[in-house]
Amino acid sequence: MRTDCGCGCGGDATRTSAFVRPRFFAGQLLTEDDLSLLVEYTTAKRRLHNRSLYGPGVICGLGVTCDPCGGGTVAVHPGHALDCAGNDIVVSCTERVDVTALVRERRISALGVDCGEDCDDEGGRRYGLYVSYQELPVEPVAPYATEEPCPSPGCVPSRIQEGFRFVVKCDDTEDHRHNPGTRLLASIGDLPRADRARTRDRRLGHYADALTLASTGTGRTFRFDAADAQRYATAFAWLSDNAGGEGPPPPPTVREMTEHVRGLAAAIARFDTYDAAGQGQLKHDYPGLATVGEARGALGTACQRLRDADMEAAWPDPLRRTLAHSVVTETAARVVPERGDPDAPLEVRMLAQGTPLGHALRVEFRADLALIREWLLCRLDQADGLADCALRQDVAAADVPPPLPPPPPDSTEKATIAEAQQIAEAATALATAMTRFLTDAACATLNPPCGDCTDTDVLLAHVELDGCDVVRVCSATREQVLPGGSAYGEWLPKLYRLRELAERVCCQPLPAYRTLPLPTEGPVARPYADGLLGDWPRGGDLEEMLSLLLTPAPGETPPKALHEQVYTTPSEVTDSMQELARLRTQVADLTAAVEGLRSHMGSTQTQVTHLEEQLGDREDTPDPAPGGGADQAPDQAPDRADEPPKPPAKRARSPRTRNQKPGETP
């Protein structure tokens, strides 16, 4: 045994192998244990291959049809099937199965509980006709007398006959197929909760870079280019034509107006980051900026009208509604005044990027960070099979700012640079952790689990009875053995695409957040955040992989959702189960005692038989002739006094004695 054991003991297995085969050598004394081990090894290996490579189901044949004679009998034709334990079930000839008798047998074993009604009642009953693997010991042989203290009494079966039997059950078949989405749901848990955390992470992703640039590049200007000038002209023209009017605008107009307000406010906020000389140069380069004062007035009119609008009807999603509210509040406070708000450079720089940061939004961001971190830690504690070993430690180390109380309506409280940096760092750390977790969960689905074998019966057909007669047989929905196993048959349409995506997603270096480079001098080139108030589409290889796993294909079974519920067993049931366990133990002890008495009785019977044979041999031996002279036959020489008595003759072996090999000691 190796002594240089660290974690994993130097790579050696720490437990006994599941398979042990015998090893033969010259001069070895073979016993029944050696030969039985060889049979058990080959049988167990064959069953392992059957259930792992093929899975349970019908391989061929085993069609179920109506019996020509009618009544409650069906015909099961020859075929081959595998059960979930890997046993071969072979029906070599057509079998006539009395379904009515099987139903009656099932009712008796179930103490009268049935899936339907009695034969005399109206209405059809549906059952499942199953075939079950069965072993039967046959061909008993009388063993030789041995020196064992407790030999087997009587004859012992010398063969195991593999057979089958038919049973009927209620029409509720067990589906052995494994949908890959089931494994994914087991990792990410409740899908609505996961989507809630991912959506908030998505919203924070729009702000992470903007917060970083706004907090680290204090006092720097944002580049104003032709795209900003075009956005300024388009938004100003639309607001000039549509911002006025009486009454609240309809929801579609509210959404469009908010988007134009955000675009125009971003362009003016970029303009406000320049000093007087820089603004003069911008007006020279882009003559349209000469109307900045009028544009501020159009923004003020639009913001006033949006305050009176029904924002909840226009933005049903509360996450986007908060963004829209921040657009209106921050624009009115930071851009609409003639010279902007020089005392709030951070908020102005956030507006310049198209990502307004209001007081209400900062409160939500803090709550979102806590929610994402809590969800990740919860899933990492409950999900098994984690391959990213450092992920939980990284999530726990994320510095999430504490939550804030709800702000008053239309609050314009300013943020600090330290707070913005803390939110940005926590958002980037958790966004990276979210990507790592989803990548790990998606890649783990490509390793199908071994199926649990709780019911070894193989469904052959669904039968419908009317009274006591079989009226319909359906074999179309039974499991079929497919390459790779019926448990993974649904992988076939997706497997190759999943493997292609896995090459680009799985087993790659861990994703890391890279801070946007800040130039040492000159304006900061930061693009406008398009689509902030849109649908936030998810793309990329990981999203395609998740969608492929969770979207059922035509004819595919839906993935099984994880129900995180805790069930407690009533005390009455627990007490009954304990009492039943004690009774089973007592029955086992009594059975062992009875078997011991039977063994002693068999040993005693064998000894009595030996004594009777010895006494019979002595009575049959003729007395020697007196004197024993020369007229005595040569083969009847007198016994010598020092010659030991002859042992009794051995009992003849049964007719099924195996042939003795040359050189073998009987």
Side-chain angles (χ1 to χ4, degrees), residues 59 98 130 180 222 240 309 317 380 404 429 438 467:
I59 298 177
D98 191 345
Y130 294 78
F222 281 86
S240 299
D317 182 10
L380 291 173
L404 294 175
L438 294 176

Short mmCIF file of all heavy atoms in Angstrom, two decimals, residues 59 98 130 180 222 240 309 317 380 404 429 438 467:
data_model
loop_
_atom_site.label_atom_id
_atom_site.label_comp_id
_atom_site.label_asym_id
_atom_site.label_seq_id
_atom_site.Cartn_x
_atom_site.Cartn_y
_atom_site.Cartn_z
N ILE A 59 -36.10 -3.72 -28.24
CA ILE A 59 -35.11 -3.70 -29.32
C ILE A 59 -35.77 -4.08 -30.63
O ILE A 59 -35.60 -3.39 -31.65
CB ILE A 59 -33.94 -4.65 -28.99
CG1 ILE A 59 -33.23 -4.18 -27.72
CG2 ILE A 59 -32.96 -4.71 -30.15
CD1 ILE A 59 -32.11 -5.09 -27.28
N ASP A 98 -53.47 -13.81 -20.98
CA ASP A 98 -54.81 -13.57 -20.47
C ASP A 98 -54.79 -12.29 -19.64
O ASP A 98 -54.41 -12.30 -18.46
CB ASP A 98 -55.27 -14.75 -19.63
CG ASP A 98 -56.76 -14.68 -19.29
OD1 ASP A 98 -57.35 -13.60 -19.46
OD2 ASP A 98 -57.33 -15.70 -18.84
N TYR A 130 -46.91 -5.16 -19.32
CA TYR A 130 -45.46 -5.13 -19.17
C TYR A 130 -44.92 -6.56 -19.21
O TYR A 130 -45.64 -7.53 -18.93
CB TYR A 130 -45.05 -4.51 -17.83
CG TYR A 130 -45.38 -3.05 -17.69
CD1 TYR A 130 -46.67 -2.62 -17.39
CD2 TYR A 130 -44.40 -2.08 -17.85
CE1 TYR A 130 -46.97 -1.28 -17.26
CE2 TYR A 130 -44.69 -0.73 -17.71
CZ TYR A 130 -45.98 -0.34 -17.41
OH TYR A 130 -46.27 0.98 -17.27
N PRO A 180 -31.78 17.21 -21.67
CA PRO A 180 -30.62 17.94 -21.14
C PRO A 180 -31.01 19.21 -20.39
O PRO A 180 -30.28 19.67 -19.53
CB PRO A 180 -29.80 18.25 -22.39
CG PRO A 180 -30.75 18.12 -23.53
CD PRO A 180 -31.73 17.08 -23.14
N PHE A 222 -16.15 64.53 -23.12
CA PHE A 222 -16.55 63.42 -23.97
C PHE A 222 -16.56 63.91 -25.43
O PHE A 222 -17.08 65.00 -25.72
CB PHE A 222 -17.93 62.90 -23.57
CG PHE A 222 -17.89 62.00 -22.37
CD1 PHE A 222 -17.94 62.53 -21.09
CD2 PHE A 222 -17.78 60.63 -22.52
CE1 PHE A 222 -17.91 61.71 -19.99
CE2 PHE A 222 -17.75 59.80 -21.42
CZ PHE A 222 -17.80 60.33 -20.14
N SER A 240 -39.45 69.32 -31.23
CA SER A 240 -40.04 70.62 -31.59
C SER A 240 -41.41 70.44 -32.20
O SER A 240 -42.31 71.29 -32.02
CB SER A 240 -39.12 71.35 -32.58
OG SER A 240 -37.85 71.61 -32.00
N ALA A 309 -47.58 62.10 -17.83
CA ALA A 309 -47.99 60.92 -18.60
C ALA A 309 -48.10 59.70 -17.70
O ALA A 309 -47.56 59.65 -16.58
CB ALA A 309 -46.99 60.66 -19.73
N ASP A 317 -42.81 47.15 -17.73
CA ASP A 317 -41.71 46.54 -17.01
C ASP A 317 -41.14 47.55 -16.01
O ASP A 317 -40.70 48.64 -16.39
CB ASP A 317 -40.61 46.12 -18.00
CG ASP A 317 -39.45 45.43 -17.32
OD1 ASP A 317 -39.57 45.11 -16.12
OD2 ASP A 317 -38.42 45.20 -17.98
N LEU A 380 -25.02 28.22 -5.93
CA LEU A 380 -23.75 27.53 -5.76
C LEU A 380 -23.78 26.59 -4.56
O LEU A 380 -23.07 25.58 -4.55
CB LEU A 380 -22.62 28.56 -5.58
CG LEU A 380 -22.29 29.39 -6.82
CD1 LEU A 380 -21.30 30.48 -6.48
CD2 LEU A 380 -21.72 28.49 -7.92
N LEU A 404 -30.14 51.14 0.22
CA LEU A 404 -30.57 52.47 0.63
C LEU A 404 -32.09 52.48 0.82
O LEU A 404 -32.80 51.69 0.19
CB LEU A 404 -30.18 53.52 -0.42
CG LEU A 404 -28.70 53.78 -0.62
CD1 LEU A 404 -28.50 54.76 -1.78
CD2 LEU A 404 -28.07 54.33 0.65
N ALA A 429 -17.90 42.57 -11.21
CA ALA A 429 -17.52 41.30 -10.57
C ALA A 429 -18.67 40.30 -10.64
O ALA A 429 -18.47 39.12 -10.96
CB ALA A 429 -17.11 41.56 -9.12
N LEU A 438 -23.30 30.44 -15.44
CA LEU A 438 -24.13 29.93 -16.52
C LEU A 438 -23.32 29.07 -17.48
O LEU A 438 -23.82 28.08 -18.01
CB LEU A 438 -24.79 31.10 -17.25
CG LEU A 438 -25.81 31.91 -16.44
CD1 LEU A 438 -26.30 33.10 -17.25
CD2 LEU A 438 -26.97 31.04 -16.01
N GLY A 467 -65.59 -4.08 -20.19
CA GLY A 467 -66.01 -5.25 -19.46
C GLY A 467 -64.81 -6.12 -19.17
O GLY A 467 -63.82 -5.69 -18.59
#
